[in-house]
Amino acid sequence: MRITMFRKLMANEFGQVRAEMVARDHVLSALGGRTPDQALEAGLSAKEIWQAVCDAFDVPEQRR
């Protein structure tokens, strides 16, 4: 998954403003105590990060 697709999925799920806030501020234990943005910078795959976000926010399977 490309980062642009990750950003699009985030915006579709949370709305643009909240998606940016979640990516910037929400620390996820599944990402090693990083925010999604920090995880991207650390080199984790966008797909892995999206899955962690979906798990943390109980995103329904059909939107994952």
Side-chain angles (χ1 to χ4, degrees), residues 5-62:
M5 178 56 76
F6 168 75
R7 298 284 184 202
K8 182 178 179 178
L9 289 168
M10 289 284 289
N12 287 344
E13 186 62 34
F14 300 109
Q16 188 65 41
V17 173
R18 185 165 183 230
E20 291 173 9
M21 182 202 68
V22 168
R24 182 186 63 237
D25 299 329
H26 196 82
V27 175
L28 299 169
S29 61
L31 300 176
R34 299 180 182 105
T35 67
D37 283 347
Q38 290 170 335
L40 285 169
E41 289 176 21
L44 276 71
S45 75
K47 183 177 181 178
E48 179 182 352
I49 297 166
W50 173 243
Q51 290 171 342
V53 169
C54 289
D55 289 343
F57 288 90
D58 295 322
V59 175
E61 198 63 39
Q62 65 270 20

